[in-house]
Amino acid sequence: MREFMDYIQSAFYAATGWNRDNSYSSLNTTSDALLNFPTPRGLRLTLSSLATPQFATSYQLGNIGIVDGSISYLYSTVPLHNAIAQSDKIPLPDLLRSYRPLEELPHRNRGIGAGETGGLIKDALAYGRLYLPASMLEALFIRRVSPALQLQLSAVSNQTLRNGGTMLGMVQYDEGRYAVEGLASSDGGLLGVRGLYNFGGDVGHLNAPAQLATTSGNGSGNGERERIYGRFSTGAELYYGTLNKSGGMSFGARFATLPTHNGTPLTATMTINPLMGTISWSYAVMGGNYCSLASRMDFNVYSYESDWVVGMELWRKRGAWSINQELEGPENLGPGSGPGSVSTAQERSFQAKMEWRLDDPLPISDNTAEILAPPKAIAQPKKKKKERSFQAKMEWRLDDPEVDPEIPNANDGEDEYSGVLKARLDQHLRVGLLWEGRVKSLLFSLGSSVDLRRLDSPFRTLGLEVQFSS
Protein backbone atom coordinates (compact mmCIF):
# COMPACT_ATOMS: atom_id res chain seq x y z
CA MET A 1 0.00 0.00 0.00
CA ARG A 2 1.26 3.43 -0.87
CA GLU A 3 1.95 5.80 1.95
CA PHE A 4 -0.24 8.85 2.32
CA MET A 5 2.57 11.25 1.45
CA ASP A 6 3.30 9.37 -1.76
CA TYR A 7 -0.38 9.66 -2.65
CA ILE A 8 -0.30 13.42 -2.01
CA GLN A 9 2.85 13.72 -4.12
CA SER A 10 1.01 12.01 -6.98
CA ALA A 11 -1.81 14.52 -6.53
CA PHE A 12 0.77 17.32 -6.92
CA TYR A 13 1.98 15.81 -10.19
CA ALA A 14 -1.61 15.54 -11.42
CA ALA A 15 -2.39 19.14 -10.43
CA THR A 16 0.67 20.46 -12.25
CA GLY A 17 0.26 18.25 -15.32
CA TRP A 18 3.40 16.12 -14.90
CA ASN A 19 3.33 12.54 -16.22
CA ARG A 20 5.34 10.17 -13.99
CA ASP A 21 4.89 7.26 -16.41
CA ASN A 22 6.85 8.98 -19.17
CA SER A 23 10.24 8.13 -17.66
CA TYR A 24 12.78 5.37 -18.15
CA SER A 25 12.75 4.70 -14.40
CA SER A 26 9.02 3.83 -14.69
CA LEU A 27 9.48 1.29 -17.46
CA ASN A 28 8.66 -1.73 -15.23
CA THR A 29 6.19 -0.05 -12.88
CA THR A 30 3.22 -2.18 -13.96
CA SER A 31 4.93 -5.56 -13.53
CA ASP A 32 6.66 -4.49 -10.31
CA ALA A 33 3.27 -3.67 -8.76
CA LEU A 34 2.20 -7.30 -9.26
CA LEU A 35 5.52 -9.08 -8.68
CA ASN A 36 7.62 -6.95 -6.31
CA PHE A 37 5.00 -5.75 -3.84
CA PRO A 38 6.39 -5.46 -0.28
CA THR A 39 4.76 -7.42 2.54
CA PRO A 40 4.34 -5.66 5.90
CA ARG A 41 6.41 -6.66 8.91
CA GLY A 42 5.18 -6.31 12.46
CA LEU A 43 2.47 -3.85 13.43
CA ARG A 44 2.38 -0.33 12.03
CA LEU A 45 -0.14 2.48 12.48
CA THR A 46 -0.25 5.66 10.38
CA LEU A 47 -2.34 8.77 11.05
CA SER A 48 -2.37 11.40 8.29
CA SER A 49 -4.24 14.55 7.48
CA LEU A 50 -4.53 17.06 4.67
CA ALA A 51 -5.04 20.01 7.01
CA THR A 52 -5.34 22.51 4.15
CA PRO A 53 -5.24 22.04 0.38
CA GLN A 54 -1.55 22.97 0.56
CA PHE A 55 -0.30 21.35 3.78
CA ALA A 56 -0.29 17.71 4.90
CA THR A 57 1.03 15.87 7.94
CA SER A 58 1.60 12.22 8.75
CA TYR A 59 2.57 10.36 11.93
CA GLN A 60 3.65 6.73 11.94
CA LEU A 61 4.24 4.31 14.80
CA GLY A 62 5.54 0.76 14.38
CA ASN A 63 6.73 -2.23 16.37
CA ILE A 64 9.26 -4.58 14.76
CA GLY A 65 11.17 -5.84 17.76
CA ILE A 66 11.62 -2.23 18.86
CA VAL A 67 9.21 0.69 18.83
CA ASP A 68 9.98 3.18 16.08
CA GLY A 69 8.13 5.84 14.16
CA SER A 70 8.35 8.91 11.98
CA ILE A 71 6.94 12.41 11.60
CA SER A 72 6.53 13.93 8.15
CA TYR A 73 5.28 17.20 6.72
CA LEU A 74 4.50 18.30 3.16
CA TYR A 75 3.82 21.70 1.66
CA SER A 76 2.68 22.48 -1.87
CA THR A 77 2.35 25.89 -3.48
CA VAL A 78 -0.44 24.45 -5.63
CA PRO A 79 -3.78 23.81 -3.89
CA LEU A 80 -4.44 20.09 -4.11
CA HIS A 81 -8.21 20.23 -4.48
CA ASN A 82 -8.14 17.07 -6.59
CA ALA A 83 -6.76 15.01 -3.68
CA ILE A 84 -9.33 12.99 -1.70
CA ALA A 85 -7.78 12.84 1.77
CA GLN A 86 -10.52 11.01 3.71
CA SER A 87 -9.56 7.37 4.08
CA ASP A 88 -13.19 6.25 3.72
CA LYS A 89 -13.51 8.00 0.34
CA ILE A 90 -10.12 7.48 -1.33
CA PRO A 91 -10.56 5.27 -4.41
CA LEU A 92 -8.61 2.10 -3.69
CA PRO A 93 -7.13 1.77 -7.22
CA ASP A 94 -5.52 5.20 -6.75
CA LEU A 95 -4.02 4.30 -3.38
CA LEU A 96 -3.00 0.67 -3.85
CA ARG A 97 -0.20 -0.41 -6.14
CA SER A 98 -1.93 -2.46 -8.83
CA TYR A 99 -2.19 -2.84 -12.57
CA ARG A 100 -2.62 0.62 -14.01
CA PRO A 101 -2.75 1.46 -17.72
CA LEU A 102 -0.64 4.25 -19.15
CA GLU A 103 -2.01 7.75 -19.21
CA GLU A 104 -2.54 9.61 -22.44
CA LEU A 105 0.32 11.94 -23.33
CA PRO A 106 -0.68 15.58 -22.73
CA HIS A 107 -1.10 17.96 -25.66
CA ARG A 108 1.20 20.87 -24.91
CA ASN A 109 0.42 24.24 -26.39
CA ARG A 110 3.42 25.29 -28.44
CA GLY A 111 2.09 28.75 -29.03
CA ILE A 112 3.23 31.84 -27.18
CA GLY A 113 1.72 31.70 -23.76
CA ALA A 114 2.53 30.83 -20.19
CA GLY A 115 5.89 29.21 -19.90
CA GLU A 116 6.85 30.03 -23.52
CA THR A 117 7.80 33.67 -23.02
CA GLY A 118 10.61 32.94 -20.59
CA GLY A 119 8.56 33.32 -17.43
CA LEU A 120 9.17 30.80 -14.68
CA ILE A 121 6.50 28.60 -13.16
CA LYS A 122 6.48 28.83 -9.37
CA ASP A 123 4.87 25.45 -8.65
CA ALA A 124 6.89 23.73 -5.93
CA LEU A 125 6.63 20.99 -3.31
CA ALA A 126 8.64 20.56 -0.10
CA TYR A 127 8.63 17.38 1.99
CA GLY A 128 10.48 16.39 5.14
CA ARG A 129 10.48 13.26 7.33
CA LEU A 130 12.18 12.52 10.63
CA TYR A 131 12.65 8.89 11.72
CA LEU A 132 12.75 8.14 15.44
CA PRO A 133 14.66 6.94 17.42
CA ALA A 134 17.23 6.56 14.61
CA SER A 135 17.31 10.37 14.14
CA MET A 136 17.45 9.98 10.36
CA LEU A 137 16.16 12.88 8.30
CA GLU A 138 15.11 12.83 4.66
CA ALA A 139 13.98 15.75 2.53
CA LEU A 140 12.57 16.30 -0.94
CA PHE A 141 12.13 19.47 -2.97
CA ILE A 142 10.44 19.64 -6.39
CA ARG A 143 10.26 22.74 -8.56
CA ARG A 144 8.47 23.12 -11.88
CA VAL A 145 10.41 25.52 -14.09
CA SER A 146 8.32 25.22 -17.27
CA PRO A 147 5.57 22.92 -18.57
CA ALA A 148 8.28 20.50 -19.78
CA LEU A 149 11.08 21.08 -17.23
CA GLN A 150 11.24 20.01 -13.59
CA LEU A 151 13.97 20.09 -10.95
CA GLN A 152 14.13 17.63 -8.08
CA LEU A 153 16.47 17.56 -5.09
CA SER A 154 16.44 14.83 -2.41
CA ALA A 155 18.73 14.35 0.59
CA VAL A 156 19.19 11.90 3.47
CA SER A 157 21.02 12.68 6.70
CA ASN A 158 22.15 9.80 8.92
CA GLN A 159 25.25 9.23 11.00
CA THR A 160 25.62 5.70 9.66
CA LEU A 161 26.12 6.97 6.09
CA ARG A 162 29.44 8.03 4.68
CA ASN A 163 30.07 11.75 5.23
CA GLY A 164 26.94 11.84 7.37
CA GLY A 165 24.49 11.79 4.47
CA THR A 166 23.95 11.91 0.74
CA MET A 167 22.26 14.19 -1.79
CA LEU A 168 20.77 13.52 -5.21
CA GLY A 169 19.81 16.12 -7.79
CA MET A 170 17.77 15.48 -10.94
CA VAL A 171 16.81 17.54 -13.98
CA GLN A 172 13.81 16.14 -15.85
CA TYR A 173 12.70 17.28 -19.29
CA ASP A 174 9.48 15.80 -20.70
CA GLU A 175 8.40 16.78 -24.19
CA GLY A 176 5.76 14.08 -24.54
CA ARG A 177 7.30 12.24 -27.48
CA TYR A 178 10.56 11.91 -25.57
CA ALA A 179 11.83 12.49 -22.02
CA VAL A 180 15.40 13.02 -20.78
CA GLU A 181 16.73 12.98 -17.21
CA GLY A 182 20.10 13.96 -15.84
CA LEU A 183 21.19 13.12 -12.30
CA ALA A 184 24.13 13.72 -9.99
CA SER A 185 24.72 12.17 -6.56
CA SER A 186 27.21 12.99 -3.83
CA ASP A 187 27.51 9.27 -3.03
CA GLY A 188 30.53 8.18 -5.07
CA GLY A 189 30.29 11.21 -7.32
CA LEU A 190 27.72 9.45 -9.48
CA LEU A 191 26.72 11.09 -12.76
CA GLY A 192 24.04 9.67 -15.02
CA VAL A 193 21.68 10.32 -17.87
CA ARG A 194 18.65 8.37 -19.07
CA GLY A 195 16.06 8.89 -21.72
CA LEU A 196 12.84 7.48 -23.16
CA TYR A 197 11.42 7.79 -26.66
CA ASN A 198 7.79 7.01 -27.56
CA PHE A 199 6.26 6.15 -30.91
CA GLY A 200 2.98 4.74 -32.11
CA GLY A 201 -0.41 5.03 -30.46
CA ASP A 202 -1.24 8.55 -29.31
CA VAL A 203 2.23 9.96 -30.06
CA GLY A 204 1.29 10.87 -33.62
CA HIS A 205 -1.47 13.18 -32.39
CA LEU A 206 0.65 15.29 -30.05
CA ASN A 207 1.14 18.02 -32.65
CA ALA A 208 -2.37 17.66 -34.09
CA PRO A 209 -5.34 19.80 -33.04
CA ALA A 210 -7.13 18.62 -29.92
CA GLN A 211 -10.39 17.81 -31.76
CA LEU A 212 -8.58 15.70 -34.34
CA ALA A 213 -6.70 13.84 -31.63
CA THR A 214 -9.82 12.99 -29.68
CA THR A 215 -11.63 11.63 -32.75
CA SER A 216 -8.73 9.44 -33.90
CA GLY A 217 -8.73 6.96 -31.02
CA ASN A 218 -9.32 3.25 -30.93
CA GLY A 219 -13.06 3.60 -31.22
CA SER A 220 -12.97 5.51 -34.52
CA GLY A 221 -13.64 2.42 -36.61
CA ASN A 222 -10.14 2.09 -38.10
CA GLY A 223 -9.61 -1.61 -38.75
CA GLU A 224 -5.92 -1.59 -37.83
CA ARG A 225 -6.55 0.06 -34.48
CA GLU A 226 -9.52 -2.09 -33.65
CA ARG A 227 -7.16 -5.03 -33.13
CA ILE A 228 -4.66 -3.40 -30.78
CA TYR A 229 -3.91 0.19 -29.86
CA GLY A 230 -0.92 0.98 -27.70
CA ARG A 231 2.32 2.87 -27.32
CA PHE A 232 5.86 1.64 -27.91
CA SER A 233 8.60 3.06 -25.71
CA THR A 234 12.33 2.48 -25.87
CA GLY A 235 15.06 3.99 -23.74
CA ALA A 236 18.45 3.63 -22.11
CA GLU A 237 20.46 4.83 -19.14
CA LEU A 238 24.16 5.44 -18.65
CA TYR A 239 25.87 6.29 -15.36
CA TYR A 240 29.47 6.64 -14.14
CA GLY A 241 31.01 6.98 -10.68
CA THR A 242 33.76 9.57 -10.71
CA LEU A 243 35.24 8.44 -7.37
CA ASN A 244 35.21 4.65 -7.75
CA LYS A 245 35.81 4.77 -11.55
CA SER A 246 32.99 2.39 -12.39
CA GLY A 247 29.97 2.69 -14.62
CA GLY A 248 26.96 0.91 -15.98
CA MET A 249 24.30 0.99 -18.63
CA SER A 250 21.03 -0.66 -19.59
CA PHE A 251 18.57 -0.67 -22.46
CA GLY A 252 14.85 -1.28 -22.37
CA ALA A 253 11.67 -1.41 -24.44
CA ARG A 254 8.00 -1.47 -23.52
CA PHE A 255 4.68 -1.90 -25.25
CA ALA A 256 1.52 -1.00 -23.37
CA THR A 257 -2.06 -0.55 -24.45
CA LEU A 258 -3.72 2.80 -23.86
CA PRO A 259 -6.96 3.44 -21.94
CA THR A 260 -8.83 3.94 -25.24
CA HIS A 261 -7.94 0.40 -26.38
CA ASN A 262 -11.08 -1.71 -26.81
CA GLY A 263 -9.38 -5.05 -26.18
CA THR A 264 -7.58 -6.62 -23.22
CA PRO A 265 -5.16 -4.23 -21.43
CA LEU A 266 -1.60 -5.58 -21.45
CA THR A 267 1.98 -4.45 -20.86
CA ALA A 268 5.16 -6.17 -22.10
CA THR A 269 8.71 -5.00 -21.28
CA MET A 270 12.26 -6.13 -21.95
CA THR A 271 15.43 -4.77 -20.32
CA ILE A 272 19.05 -5.64 -21.12
CA ASN A 273 22.14 -4.97 -18.98
CA PRO A 274 25.09 -5.69 -21.29
CA LEU A 275 27.80 -5.34 -18.64
CA MET A 276 26.18 -7.84 -16.26
CA GLY A 277 24.80 -9.98 -19.10
CA THR A 278 21.24 -9.94 -17.73
CA ILE A 279 18.13 -10.03 -19.90
CA SER A 280 14.71 -9.61 -18.31
CA TRP A 281 11.25 -10.09 -19.84
CA SER A 282 7.99 -9.22 -18.11
CA TYR A 283 4.37 -9.48 -19.19
CA ALA A 284 1.27 -8.22 -17.41
CA VAL A 285 -2.32 -8.53 -18.53
CA MET A 286 -5.66 -7.50 -17.09
CA GLY A 287 -7.72 -10.66 -17.44
CA GLY A 288 -10.98 -9.01 -16.36
CA ASN A 289 -12.46 -6.26 -14.25
CA TYR A 290 -11.32 -8.00 -11.07
CA CYS A 291 -8.23 -10.01 -12.07
CA SER A 292 -4.71 -9.18 -13.29
CA LEU A 293 -1.82 -11.55 -14.02
CA ALA A 294 1.91 -10.98 -14.48
CA SER A 295 5.08 -12.99 -15.06
CA ARG A 296 8.78 -12.21 -15.36
CA MET A 297 11.84 -14.18 -16.41
CA ASP A 298 15.51 -13.21 -15.95
CA PHE A 299 18.38 -14.86 -17.79
CA ASN A 300 22.12 -14.31 -17.53
CA VAL A 301 24.13 -15.04 -20.67
CA TYR A 302 27.40 -15.40 -18.71
CA SER A 303 26.35 -17.88 -15.99
CA TYR A 304 23.29 -19.36 -17.76
CA GLU A 305 21.29 -18.84 -14.59
CA SER A 306 17.64 -17.96 -14.83
CA ASP A 307 14.90 -16.80 -12.48
CA TRP A 308 11.16 -16.62 -12.90
CA VAL A 309 8.29 -15.26 -10.87
CA VAL A 310 4.52 -15.16 -11.42
CA GLY A 311 1.95 -13.02 -9.66
CA MET A 312 -1.70 -12.15 -9.64
CA GLU A 313 -4.23 -9.85 -8.01
CA LEU A 314 -7.93 -10.38 -7.37
CA TRP A 315 -10.21 -7.47 -6.54
CA ARG A 316 -13.28 -7.82 -4.33
CA LYS A 317 -16.37 -5.91 -5.31
CA ARG A 318 -17.72 -3.56 -2.67
CA GLY A 319 -21.05 -4.36 -1.03
CA ALA A 320 -22.20 -7.04 -3.47
CA TRP A 321 -24.34 -8.78 -0.82
CA SER A 322 -25.97 -5.56 0.34
CA ILE A 323 -26.84 -4.57 -3.23
CA ASN A 324 -28.57 -7.91 -3.77
CA GLN A 325 -30.57 -7.45 -0.57
CA GLU A 326 -31.70 -4.03 -1.74
CA LEU A 327 -32.79 -5.44 -5.10
CA GLU A 328 -34.73 -8.22 -3.37
CA GLY A 329 -36.43 -5.90 -0.89
CA PRO A 330 -40.21 -5.47 -0.71
CA GLU A 331 -40.06 -2.04 -2.31
CA ASN A 332 -38.54 -3.51 -5.49
CA LEU A 333 -40.85 -6.51 -5.90
CA GLY A 334 -43.60 -4.59 -7.67
CA PRO A 335 -47.20 -3.86 -6.66
CA GLY A 336 -49.10 -6.53 -4.87
CA SER A 337 -46.01 -8.54 -3.91
CA GLY A 338 -45.17 -7.03 -0.56
CA PRO A 339 -46.27 -8.45 2.77
CA GLY A 340 -49.87 -7.66 3.68
CA SER A 341 -50.74 -6.41 0.19
CA VAL A 342 -53.99 -7.33 -1.57
CA SER A 343 -53.46 -9.30 -4.76
CA THR A 344 -55.42 -7.90 -7.73
CA ALA A 345 -54.93 -10.98 -9.98
CA GLN A 346 -57.33 -13.86 -9.17
CA GLU A 347 -56.54 -17.46 -10.03
CA ARG A 348 -58.88 -19.25 -12.50
CA SER A 349 -61.62 -21.37 -10.96
CA PHE A 350 -61.58 -25.15 -11.12
CA GLN A 351 -64.62 -25.17 -13.46
CA ALA A 352 -62.88 -22.81 -15.91
CA LYS A 353 -59.76 -24.97 -15.93
CA MET A 354 -61.78 -28.11 -16.70
CA GLU A 355 -63.56 -26.34 -19.60
CA TRP A 356 -60.35 -24.80 -20.99
CA ARG A 357 -61.63 -21.23 -20.74
CA LEU A 358 -61.21 -18.07 -18.74
CA ASP A 359 -63.48 -17.04 -15.90
CA ASP A 360 -66.42 -14.80 -16.64
CA PRO A 361 -65.77 -11.13 -15.82
CA LEU A 362 -66.88 -10.23 -12.35
CA PRO A 363 -69.45 -7.49 -11.89
CA ILE A 364 -67.94 -4.27 -10.64
CA SER A 365 -69.22 -3.41 -7.20
CA ASP A 366 -68.29 -0.83 -4.64
CA ASN A 367 -66.02 -3.27 -2.78
CA THR A 368 -64.28 -4.29 -6.01
CA ALA A 369 -63.77 -0.68 -7.00
CA GLU A 370 -62.09 -0.04 -3.70
CA ILE A 371 -59.75 -3.00 -4.25
CA LEU A 372 -58.91 -2.03 -7.84
CA ALA A 373 -58.45 1.62 -7.03
CA PRO A 374 -55.05 2.89 -8.08
CA PRO A 375 -52.59 3.32 -5.26
CA LYS A 376 -52.20 6.77 -3.91
CA ALA A 377 -48.99 8.57 -4.56
CA ILE A 378 -46.60 8.25 -1.68
CA ALA A 379 -45.31 11.55 -0.48
CA GLN A 380 -41.56 11.75 -0.93
CA PRO A 381 -39.65 13.13 2.04
CA LYS A 382 -38.07 16.48 1.47
CA LYS A 383 -34.34 16.51 1.14
CA LYS A 384 -32.64 18.11 4.07
CA LYS A 385 -30.30 20.90 3.18
CA LYS A 386 -26.73 19.79 3.68
CA GLU A 387 -24.59 21.84 6.01
CA ARG A 388 -21.30 23.22 4.80
CA SER A 389 -18.27 21.07 5.51
CA PHE A 390 -15.70 22.06 8.12
CA GLN A 391 -13.07 22.53 5.41
CA ALA A 392 -15.32 25.01 3.54
CA LYS A 393 -16.00 26.97 6.72
CA MET A 394 -12.26 27.27 7.46
CA GLU A 395 -11.61 28.58 3.91
CA TRP A 396 -14.61 30.98 3.91
CA ARG A 397 -16.19 29.41 0.83
CA LEU A 398 -19.07 27.21 -0.24
CA ASP A 399 -18.79 23.50 -0.81
CA ASP A 400 -18.07 22.20 -4.28
CA PRO A 401 -21.26 21.51 -6.26
CA GLU A 402 -22.54 18.03 -5.56
CA VAL A 403 -23.04 15.51 -8.29
CA ASP A 404 -26.61 14.31 -8.80
CA PRO A 405 -26.66 10.65 -7.73
CA GLU A 406 -29.21 9.85 -10.44
CA ILE A 407 -26.80 10.96 -13.16
CA PRO A 408 -24.13 8.32 -13.82
CA ASN A 409 -20.68 9.56 -12.96
CA ALA A 410 -17.56 8.47 -14.79
CA ASN A 411 -15.68 8.09 -11.51
CA ASP A 412 -18.23 5.81 -9.88
CA GLY A 413 -16.23 2.75 -10.97
CA GLU A 414 -13.32 3.79 -8.82
CA ASP A 415 -15.30 3.17 -5.63
CA GLU A 416 -16.68 -0.26 -6.53
CA TYR A 417 -13.86 -2.19 -4.83
CA SER A 418 -13.45 -3.03 -1.16
CA GLY A 419 -10.10 -4.84 -1.28
CA VAL A 420 -7.54 -6.74 -3.32
CA LEU A 421 -5.69 -10.01 -2.78
CA LYS A 422 -2.18 -10.28 -4.21
CA ALA A 423 -0.03 -13.38 -4.49
CA ARG A 424 3.30 -14.24 -6.09
CA LEU A 425 5.47 -17.35 -6.46
CA ASP A 426 9.08 -17.68 -7.62
CA GLN A 427 11.28 -20.60 -8.57
CA HIS A 428 12.58 -20.94 -5.00
CA LEU A 429 9.01 -21.74 -3.81
CA ARG A 430 8.77 -18.49 -1.92
CA VAL A 431 5.21 -17.22 -1.74
CA GLY A 432 4.13 -13.67 -1.00
CA LEU A 433 0.56 -13.02 0.13
CA LEU A 434 -0.99 -9.61 0.66
CA TRP A 435 -4.57 -8.56 1.42
CA GLU A 436 -5.34 -4.84 1.26
CA GLY A 437 -8.67 -3.20 1.72
CA ARG A 438 -10.86 -0.88 3.73
CA VAL A 439 -12.99 -1.42 6.82
CA LYS A 440 -15.18 1.60 7.61
CA SER A 441 -12.68 4.48 7.70
CA LEU A 442 -9.55 2.35 8.18
CA LEU A 443 -7.25 1.16 5.42
CA PHE A 444 -5.40 -2.04 6.21
CA SER A 445 -2.65 -4.14 4.68
CA LEU A 446 -2.16 -7.70 5.93
CA GLY A 447 0.58 -9.82 4.42
CA SER A 448 3.02 -12.64 4.93
CA SER A 449 6.01 -14.26 3.22
CA VAL A 450 5.95 -18.06 3.12
CA ASP A 451 8.86 -20.40 2.30
CA LEU A 452 7.44 -23.72 1.10
CA ARG A 453 10.86 -25.39 1.27
CA ARG A 454 10.90 -25.04 5.05
CA LEU A 455 7.61 -26.53 6.12
CA ASP A 456 8.72 -26.71 9.76
CA SER A 457 8.63 -22.87 9.93
CA PRO A 458 7.18 -21.62 6.63
CA PHE A 459 6.16 -18.11 7.72
CA ARG A 460 9.17 -15.84 7.31
CA THR A 461 7.40 -12.53 7.89
CA LEU A 462 3.96 -11.49 9.07
CA GLY A 463 2.66 -7.99 9.49
CA LEU A 464 -0.31 -5.63 9.61
CA GLU A 465 -0.44 -1.98 8.61
CA VAL A 466 -3.37 0.31 9.39
CA GLN A 467 -3.83 3.80 7.95
CA PHE A 468 -6.30 6.54 8.73
CA SER A 469 -6.43 9.93 7.04
CA SER A 470 -8.71 12.91 7.09
Side-chain angles (χ1 to χ4, degrees):
M1 182 182 297
R2 298 169 58 186
E3 293 187 352
F4 181 78
M5 288 302 184
D6 188 17
Y7 169 73
I8 296 298
Q9 184 178 345
S10 300
F12 170 80
Y13 287 132
T16 56
W18 187 260
N19 189 2
R20 302 180 72 179
D21 295 333
N22 199 28
S23 172
Y24 183 78
S25 60
S26 303
L27 201 67
N28 296 318
T29 301
T30 302
S31 59
D32 290 343
L34 302 177
L35 301 175
N36 293 342
F37 56 87
T39 56
R41 300 181 59 187
L43 180 61
R44 190 165 297 275
L45 175 63
T46 304
L47 302 177
S48 308
S49 174
L50 185 63
T52 68
Q54 297 176 270
F55 185 75
T57 60
S58 181
Y59 307 95
Q60 188 175 97
L61 183 64
N63 183 10
I64 310 177
I66 60 174
V67 178
D68 59 354
S70 64
I71 303 174
S72 54
Y73 298 94
L74 184 145
Y75 175 77
S76 171
T77 59
V78 180
L80 304 178
H81 295 296
N82 59 331
I84 303 176
Q86 293 79 7
S87 56
D88 58 338
K89 299 180 181 179
I90 298 179
L92 291 183
D94 293 346
L95 184 63
L96 307 182
R97 301 183 185 273
S98 60
Y99 185 94
R100 181 172 53 88
L102 294 180
E103 298 179 358
E104 297 281 352
L105 293 176
H107 291 77
R108 303 189 186 278
N109 186 10
R110 297 182 179 274
I112 299 178
E116 300 291 341
T117 58
L120 298 180
I121 298 178
K122 298 182 180 181
D123 299 341
L125 180 142
Y127 164 75
R129 185 172 187 176
L130 175 63
Y131 293 87
L132 299 172
S135 298
M136 183 177 68
L137 179 65
E138 66 177 19
L140 173 66
F141 180 78
I142 301 175
R143 173 67 183 271
R144 292 295 302 276
V145 180
S146 69
L149 183 62
Q150 178 175 276
L151 303 178
Q152 181 174 329
L153 181 64
S154 58
V156 177
S157 176
N158 191 2
Q159 59 183 359
T160 60
L161 299 177
R162 185 173 56 181
N163 299 326
T166 180
M167 184 176 296
L168 174 65
M170 296 179 58
V171 179
Q172 300 172 314
Y173 185 79
D174 183 4
E175 193 60 32
R177 182 181 296 271
Y178 63 91
V180 182
E181 296 177 324
L183 56 92
S185 175
S186 61
D187 187 9
L190 182 67
L191 300 176
V193 60
R194 54 195 178 195
L196 186 71
Y197 185 81
N198 303 308
F199 54 94
D202 58 342
V203 180
H205 307 304
L206 291 180
N207 299 331
Q211 296 181 355
L212 179 61
T214 55
T215 58
S216 301
N218 183 246
S220 60
N222 192 340
E224 296 180 357
R225 291 179 180 174
E226 287 295 336
R227 292 180 296 177
I228 192 167
Y229 181 61
R231 183 194 311 157
F232 286 92
S233 304
T234 180
E237 66 176 350
L238 175 65
Y239 52 90
Y240 179 75
T242 58
L243 299 182
N244 51 18
K245 308 299 181 182
S246 63
M249 65 175 64
S250 68
F251 305 93
R254 177 187 62 191
F255 173 79
T257 56
L258 297 174
T260 54
H261 174 54
N262 293 332
T264 302
L266 59 90
T267 302
T269 61
M270 181 185 68
T271 56
I272 302 175
N273 191 329
L275 298 182
M276 304 300 296
T278 303
I279 304 177
S280 177
W281 299 274
S282 66
Y283 180 77
V285 61
M286 196 170 181
N289 295 332
Y290 309 104
C291 178
S292 299
L293 306 173
S295 62
R296 184 180 63 230
M297 181 177 180
D298 301 330
F299 179 76
N300 192 284
V301 298
Y302 298 148
S303 62
Y304 299 103
E305 294 181 353
S306 63
D307 296 323
W308 59 265
V309 59
V310 294
M312 63 173 293
E313 65 177 7
L314 292 174
W315 287 86
R316 182 179 183 271
K317 191 173 181 179
R318 177 183 61 86
W321 64 274
S322 60
I323 294 177
N324 293 335
Q325 286 185 347
E326 293 177 1
L327 294 178
E328 296 174 359
E331 63 276 8
N332 296 324
L333 294 178
S337 58
S341 60
V342 180
S343 177
T344 59
Q346 280 189 340
E347 189 180 359
R348 282 193 304 166
S349 63
F350 180 76
Q351 185 68 25
K353 292 180 181 179
M354 292 296 294
E355 298 177 1
W356 290 80
R357 63 177 177 83
L358 297 176
D359 284 325
D360 297 332
L362 297 175
I364 300 178
S365 61
D366 295 338
N367 297 334
T368 308
E370 293 179 0
I371 296 176
L372 299 179
K376 297 181 180 180
I378 300 176
Q380 297 292 338
K382 297 182 179 181
K383 294 183 179 180
K384 185 178 179 180
K385 186 177 180 181
K386 187 178 179 181
E387 188 180 359
R388 279 193 307 162
S389 62
F390 178 77
Q391 184 70 24
K393 293 179 181 179
M394 293 297 295
E395 298 177 3
W396 290 80
R397 62 174 177 85
L398 296 177
D399 282 327
D400 296 332
E402 296 181 351
V403 180
D404 190 355
E406 298 180 356
I407 301 176
N409 190 3
N411 296 329
D412 287 345
E414 296 178 352
D415 295 330
E416 62 175 338
Y417 305 110
S418 63
V420 59
L421 174 64
K422 295 183 179 181
R424 66 166 180 262
L425 173 67
D426 59 12
Q427 66 173 9
H428 302 291
L429 297 181
R430 290 176 299 190
V431 180
L433 299 174
L434 182 64
W435 170 250
E436 296 177 318
R438 172 165 43 209
V439 176
K440 298 297 182 180
S441 298
L442 298 179
L443 299 169
F444 69 91
S445 178
L446 176 64
S448 175
S449 296
V450 182
D451 190 354
L452 298 181
R453 297 182 303 176
R454 303 182 59 181
L455 298 180
D456 54 341
S457 57
F459 295 96
R460 311 308 301 169
T461 61
L462 181 64
L464 173 65
E465 294 182 1
V466 179
Q467 295 187 22
F468 175 81
S469 59
S470 61

